[in-house]
Amino acid sequence: MKKRISGTTTLLGLIGSPVGHSGSPAMHNYSFERLGLDYAYLAFDIKEEQVQQFLDTARLLHMRGFNVTMPCKTEVVRLVDELSPAAQIIGASNTVVNENGRLIGHNTDGIGFVRNLQEHGVRVKGKNITLMGGGGAGTAIFVQLALDGARRIDVLNRKGENYLKLEKMSEKLKEFAPECMVRVRDLADEAMLYESIRESDILINATKVGMKPNEGESLIKDTSVYREDLVVSEIIYNPKETKMMKDARKAGVQKIVGGKGMLLWQGVAAFKLFTGRDMPVEEVKELFFSEK
């Protein structure tokens, strides 16, 4: 590390809260060293109300860019200078690139999630899907699922301002994915949730429920809804196996996909945006994402 950090090293990072558990610094810093790139990547615990201050600091320090995790993804969209088409449609950004002081927000979450499913042999085209959570990551995921040919997506979110935004977005998506039926439903209605799961091929948790330090929690209280041919997937990667995943495994679900692979593939896309280079994916996968 002493040899790699110099007076010309460019700073990259991750913002959100909490971020202490993140695997992003390890995978990015390994890749920089492996490719001989003069960058360093750090994690910064930034609350939603601190985003503007951080953006000013990013410009001041000439940071090349940063990734964004909960709860800052939608606030970043409001404050950056420009948005990619995906970030604009989704209304959330997980990657910001500094182009000579102009901060441009991108979104690689949905791409990373779908690629992670594909790596586990799961295709979304023509499938019925239940998605719990319509925040920053959940929105990116449901937009990408629709664009990739899902037949029907039930987006379950608690009623409020974000619920109305999801309803508007589902209408907007008809222009881009007219063959996909998107139904926005109330996550507080457990009967509706279980009905949706019974009609679905894939169940996705895109909420923070089950994330450390609350790893003993799950939105699925009635585990009888799990069945052998249901695909159960998480965006959470710490813990590696959430309570939802454990319950599904005990119930006999054969295909369970954790969130760590989503981190890898959205990171691969972000790395390209930051550096213009390809991350050494196979090495990173073996070192940081191996299931062994």
Side-chain angles (χ1 to χ4, degrees):
M1 185 61 75
K2 287 183 180 179
K3 292 180 180 179
R4 199 168 71 77
I5 300 294
S6 71
T8 61
T9 300
T10 299
L11 182 61
L12 288 153
L14 168 71
I15 68 168
S17 185
V19 292
H21 63 281
S22 176
S24 292
M27 62 185 279
H28 281 276
N29 286 316
Y30 170 82
S31 299
F32 298 148
E33 191 162 16
R34 178 70 179 80
L35 298 177
L37 300 176
D38 194 15
Y39 294 92
Y41 187 109
L42 299 175
F44 302 97
D45 197 299
I46 301 294
K47 307 292 192 296
E48 196 171 3
E49 63 271 17
Q50 298 172 313
V51 170
Q52 180 65 71
Q53 187 178 354
F54 180 84
L55 297 189
D56 294 338
T57 302
R59 292 188 183 93
L60 179 66
L61 297 178
H62 302 288
M63 291 182 69
R64 172 57 180 154
F66 50 92
N67 289 122
V68 187
T69 189
M70 296 180 285
C72 300
K73 293 181 180 184
T74 54
E75 186 68 4
V76 161
V77 164
R78 194 175 69 83
L79 296 172
V80 294
D81 302 303
E82 187 179 334
L83 293 170
S84 71
Q88 191 170 5
I89 293 170
I90 295 163
S93 172
N94 76 324
T95 303
V96 176
V97 180
N98 185 352
E99 300 288 2
N100 299 314
R102 188 168 180 79
L103 300 182
I104 302 174
H106 299 262
N107 197 302
T108 65
D109 274 333
I111 294 169
F113 182 85
V114 173
R115 180 62 184 271
N116 187 33
L117 287 180
Q118 291 173 350
E119 290 291 306
H120 287 82
V122 179
R123 298 290 182 268
V124 302
K125 186 175 177 61
K127 300 295 177 63
N128 292 335
I129 300 169
T130 298
L131 172 65
M132 300 183 295
T139 303
I141 289 167
F142 105 71
V143 168
Q144 195 65 44
L145 291 171
L147 294 175
D148 285 353
R151 179 177 177 273
R152 191 215 73 217
I153 307 167
D154 285 345
V155 185
L156 289 106
N157 199 80
R158 297 195 184 277
K159 289 198 172 179
E161 182 180 344
N162 202 48
Y163 191 90
L164 297 175
K165 185 185 78 171
L166 289 167
E167 289 183 319
K168 290 178 181 177
M169 190 171 297
S170 68
E171 288 299 314
K172 188 176 182 180
L173 257 180
K174 289 179 182 178
E175 178 184 346
F176 300 93
E179 295 182 0
C180 179
M181 180 195 304
V182 178
R183 304 187 296 191
V184 181
R185 297 181 159 190
D186 186 3
L187 184 56
D189 188 337
E190 288 192 354
M192 188 176 291
L193 168 62
Y194 297 144
E195 177 189 354
S196 175
I197 294 171
R198 291 187 184 100
E199 296 173 351
S200 292
D201 304 294
I202 304 171
L203 168 65
I204 302 165
N205 177 39
T207 75
K208 292 193 288 186
V209 177
M211 181 187 290
K212 281 194 173 182
N214 300 309
E215 58 265 50
E217 298 180 3
S218 171
L219 287 168
I220 307 300
K221 310 301 182 187
D222 181 3
T223 59
S224 69
V225 296
Y226 293 126
R227 61 181 193 277
E228 185 177 336
D229 64 339
L230 179 70
V231 175
V232 173
S233 184
E234 276 276 12
I235 68 164
I236 294 170
Y237 55 87
N238 191 13
K240 180 179 175 181
E241 187 173 59
T242 63
K243 177 170 172 42
M244 185 180 83
M245 293 169 67
K246 289 177 181 176
D247 289 346
R249 196 177 306 282
K250 288 178 184 176
V253 174
Q254 296 299 299
K255 185 74 71 172
I256 299 171
V257 183
K260 208 168 186 182
M262 177 184 172
L263 173 67
L264 168 65
W265 292 108
Q266 66 84 15
V268 168
F271 189 89
K272 184 80 169 184
L273 288 169
F274 292 145
T275 69
R277 300 281 297 276
D278 292 320
M279 181 182 283
V281 178
E282 292 307 316
E283 293 178 41
V284 169
K285 190 188 298 185
E286 179 65 26
L287 284 170
F288 303 108
F289 297 89
S290 175
E291 297 296 324
K292 296 176 183 178

